[in-house]
Amino acid sequence: MTKLGVRSSVMESAVGFALGAVGGCILGATEDPVYRTLSLMTAAGPLKPVMEEARTVGPLGLGALMAATALTASMTSVVAGVILAAVVASVGVATRSCWAAHPHSVGLWASAGLAGAFGTTLSGATLGAQIEWIVQSYGMVGMLWALSVFTALKPLLRSLFMLLWKQTEGCCTLGSEVWTRQKETLQTSELQQRQRVTVQIEQRILALEGGGGICGEEQRTAWATERQEREELERRRMQSEEAEMEHRSLQDWINMALLKYVDFLAFSGIPMTVIAIVTSVFGLSGYGGHQSVFLVLLALVGIMALFLLKYSDFKFWMLVGCLGMFASFVVAMLTLHAGQEAVTAAARMRAAGQNPSRENITSRMDQQASLEALSAAFFGAKLCQLGLGATVGGGLVRRAAGEVKVTVGTALIAAGLLGGVQLLAPVLGEGGGAGALLGVVGVAGASVGGAAAAAGRSSSRLGALGTLGGLVMGALVFGRWHFVNIGLQLPVAFVFAMTNPL
């Protein structure tokens, strides 16, 4: 390798390190707020209504239901932000009001990014507050009904949205009208230019027939002027055609992304909701902790996973649906195990000569199961938000939106939203604050996804390593060196950033 090549690789590595550090820092900055929010949610007061329902649906049902609810809320908030961003971008491309010259301008992506970030955070806060109200008012059985109804309604809402989107597509025709007017203007100019040339040729023919000279200086100047005008018109026509193709390509990509994410919202939550319904029904029947339920649940997970993975037209929502189903299964197992640990601890106390009452053992089991269900479900929702946000950020970078725009822009938006959520925490409440904070994690995930995609697009291995090094270092430093959490989150973000949902 030449010195110039080494220098360029080192420079690319330095720039990549800085870019990765930006994404890592905003991810690490969410660690402490998330930890404080989880501590508030697992305190005695907020945990009490969950503990009261632990006996109703059983430990397996409680874990699966909490996981399915948290993951459904996370997916819904991210997709709501994506849909809002896509609508804003689609209207912007169609109207071409602020970025008529270039569809990849800062104005287009900044407007779409702000809309998506606010949409994700606001929908997360709304869903979090609604979940908190349902659990406190109607218990986990009410949450089961709400989750079931919402899952059943989503395919119908998808059909309604598709119908409305097709109807509104015809209203956003201003962009097409602009291109039509430009074509008409260029065609008129070309026609006028051809008419002038025709007139000049006719005049020259008449002059030759009348015995005039072959070509004077005035005539040569006129011909040179016409040639320049013809070349200018040709250049403008080619620029107009290229710009039109670029705009149409971008509009088609936005429409495709919108429809794919609507499909994702409609169908991805079905597998994990089925798991939650089955385990909750066993819990309501009195078999919430029985070993046979574990076998039935394991068989159900395997059958649904096999069906989805063997489907010939494998889609992104199927992948996330499988991951959500397995996450619900894992959280259910952790919840059951937490309750069994309380029984084991009671057996040790009896062996040591102590005699805890049955009520104390049962209360301890319910507390441990509820604590594990809430903690694991919240962490799973955070990973879901982070992964889906990384998918969006990685997709934008691959679409050539710009690594710096995506990574730095979303990091700045996430930082502003993080400060706003912490400032409004007393107003949002525990559920609303938790949902809004998870929305901010999704926005931070877009920044991490942009940095990860930039590492994948690096022209040298040194540049990729520099970007990944900055990502890891920034996340660890600002995340207070939480090696386990960061070590779990970054691989998820990187894998999702490399995934193409379209």
Side-chain angles (χ1 to χ4, degrees):
M1 182 182 291
T2 63
K3 291 184 178 181
L4 183 60
V6 173
R7 189 180 303 140
S8 63
S9 297
V10 172
M11 181 62 68
E12 185 182 20
S13 176
V15 173
F17 183 86
L19 195 64
V22 171
C25 288
I26 190 59
L27 174 62
T30 63
E31 280 297 306
D32 273 354
V34 167
Y35 178 77
R36 290 196 300 268
T37 301
L38 183 59
S39 299
L40 292 175
M41 293 176 63
T42 54
L47 198 63
K48 186 177 180 180
V50 181
M51 290 176 56
E52 292 174 353
E53 296 294 326
R55 300 181 189 179
T56 305
V57 295
L60 280 173
L62 178 65
L65 184 56
M66 290 293 292
T69 302
L71 292 173
T72 299
S74 297
M75 294 177 185
T76 303
S77 64
V78 171
V79 176
V82 170
I83 290 175
L84 184 59
V87 170
V88 170
S90 181
V91 173
V93 173
T95 57
R96 303 170 70 242
S97 56
C98 300
W99 38 81
H102 192 41
H104 294 310
S105 64
V106 176
L108 174 62
W109 298 114
S111 301
L114 283 171
F118 279 108
T120 299
T121 307
L122 183 61
S123 60
T126 304
L127 289 170
Q130 290 298 316
I131 291 171
E132 182 184 17
W133 177 77
I134 292 173
V135 172
Q136 290 180 348
S137 302
Y138 302 100
M140 297 308 296
V141 177
M143 193 67 249
L144 175 63
W145 278 104
L147 180 63
S148 303
V149 171
F150 184 59
T151 304
L153 286 178
K154 283 193 293 183
L156 299 177
L157 294 174
R158 168 192 174 274
S159 301
L160 179 61
F161 180 85
M162 298 281 283
L163 181 63
L164 292 175
W165 181 251
K166 288 181 180 179
Q167 295 293 328
T168 54
E169 274 184 332
C171 300
C172 296
T173 57
L174 182 57
S176 299
E177 293 175 0
V178 169
W179 295 120
T180 302
R181 286 197 298 268
Q182 285 186 355
K183 287 181 180 178
E184 292 175 352
T185 302
L186 287 173
Q187 289 174 356
T188 302
S189 300
E190 289 177 351
L191 179 60
Q192 291 174 350
Q193 202 266 345
R194 283 196 295 267
Q195 288 176 348
R196 288 197 304 269
V197 171
T198 302
V199 171
Q200 290 177 2
I201 292 174
E202 291 176 350
Q203 291 176 348
R204 185 58 186 160
I205 292 172
L206 291 175
L208 290 173
E209 290 178 350
I214 298 178
C215 187
E217 185 65 28
E218 221 177 279
Q219 200 71 4
R220 283 195 296 270
T221 303
W223 283 113
T225 302
E226 293 296 340
R227 184 175 64 253
Q228 291 176 357
E229 290 183 2
R230 185 169 61 253
E231 292 174 352
E232 178 65 20
L233 286 172
E234 182 67 19
R235 185 184 62 81
R236 287 171 53 192
R237 184 180 63 80
M238 291 181 63
Q239 288 181 344
S240 178
E241 290 177 353
E242 290 175 358
E244 182 181 7
M245 290 178 60
E246 194 173 9
H247 276 77
R248 290 189 187 280
S249 174
L250 182 59
Q251 184 69 67
D252 292 341
W253 181 76
I254 292 172
N255 291 339
M256 181 174 62
L258 180 66
L259 298 180
K260 293 290 184 180
Y261 272 97
V262 170
D263 286 344
F264 165 73
L265 176 62
F267 302 116
S268 60
I270 294 177
M272 54 192 178
T273 303
V274 171
I275 295 297
I277 292 173
V278 171
T279 52
S280 298
V281 168
F282 274 107
L284 292 171
S285 303
Y287 297 96
H290 201 272
Q291 296 295 328
S292 60
V293 180
F294 170 75
L295 298 177
V296 172
L297 185 61
L298 184 60
L300 182 62
V301 169
I303 291 171
M304 284 196 295
L306 184 64
F307 173 77
L308 291 175
L309 293 175
K310 285 186 67 176
Y311 194 73
S312 58
D313 188 16
F314 191 76
K315 297 180 174 65
F316 178 67
W317 73 261
M318 294 180 177
L319 171 64
V320 180
C322 285
L323 293 176
M325 178 177 62
F326 281 111
S328 301
F329 175 76
V330 170
V331 174
M333 293 299 102
L334 290 173
T335 306
L336 179 62
H337 178 68
Q340 291 174 345
E341 279 187 342
V343 178
T344 304
R348 292 198 194 98
M349 292 173 65
R350 281 182 180 148
Q354 301 178 11
N355 189 22
S357 65
R358 184 179 180 87
E359 289 76 13
N360 287 339
I361 296 174
T362 303
S363 177
R364 183 64 177 170
M365 288 176 62
D366 295 340
Q367 182 184 15
Q368 288 293 105
S370 302
L371 184 64
E372 187 64 38
L374 193 56
S375 300
F378 190 77
F379 185 73
K382 182 183 179 183
L383 286 181
C384 178
Q385 288 272 13
L386 179 66
L388 294 178
T391 303
V392 175
L396 288 174
V397 170
R398 286 191 297 272
R399 178 63 195 177
E403 294 92 342
V404 177
K405 292 179 189 176
V406 175
T407 304
V408 178
T410 50
L412 292 175
I413 295 173
L417 289 175
L418 183 61
V421 169
Q422 291 181 301
L423 187 64
L424 297 175
V427 179
L428 295 173
E430 292 167 355
L437 188 58
L438 288 177
V440 176
V441 172
V443 181
S447 180
V448 175
R457 289 162 56 92
S458 296
S459 58
S460 66
R461 184 176 301 178
L462 193 60
L465 291 176
T467 306
L468 293 178
L471 193 59
V472 173
M473 185 60 65
L476 287 175
V477 171
F478 275 73
R480 304 292 180 89
W481 305 99
H482 291 170
F483 288 96
V484 176
N485 286 349
I486 299 299
L488 289 173
Q489 293 174 56
L490 284 180
V492 170
F494 189 82
V495 170
F496 272 82
M498 298 296 113
T499 303
N500 184 12
L502 308 182

